[in-house]
Amino acid sequence: MAAEDKPEYTTGEKWRRAGLIVRGCKRSLAGENVDLSDIDSKLDRIDDQARKRAAKKK
């Protein structure tokens, strides 16, 4: 993701992203074969919402 492509996050989105990242880290400690696709998709959804909001603001 390029720097200009990075959306501006609200405080709630920052907290949700932080929680998901921590959850992913905890799962990664369980082993190499752990599926993290659900956490990745949730992070992508937050990014998409932030991009849509930024595009609407312009």
Side-chain angles (χ1 to χ4, degrees), residues 13-23 43:
E13 289 169 342
K14 289 177 185 177
W15 278 105
R16 284 178 31 212
R17 285 181 53 82
L20 288 169
I21 291 169
V22 168
R23 187 182 301 171
L43 287 170

Side-chain angles (χ1 to χ4, degrees), residues 22-43:
V22 168
R23 187 182 301 171
C25 290
K26 286 175 67 175
R27 274 198 206 170
S28 294
L29 292 175
E32 294 180 13
N33 298 327
V34 178
D35 183 29
L36 298 173
S37 62
D38 61 324
I39 292 178
D40 290 336
S41 65
K42 288 177 184 180
L43 287 170

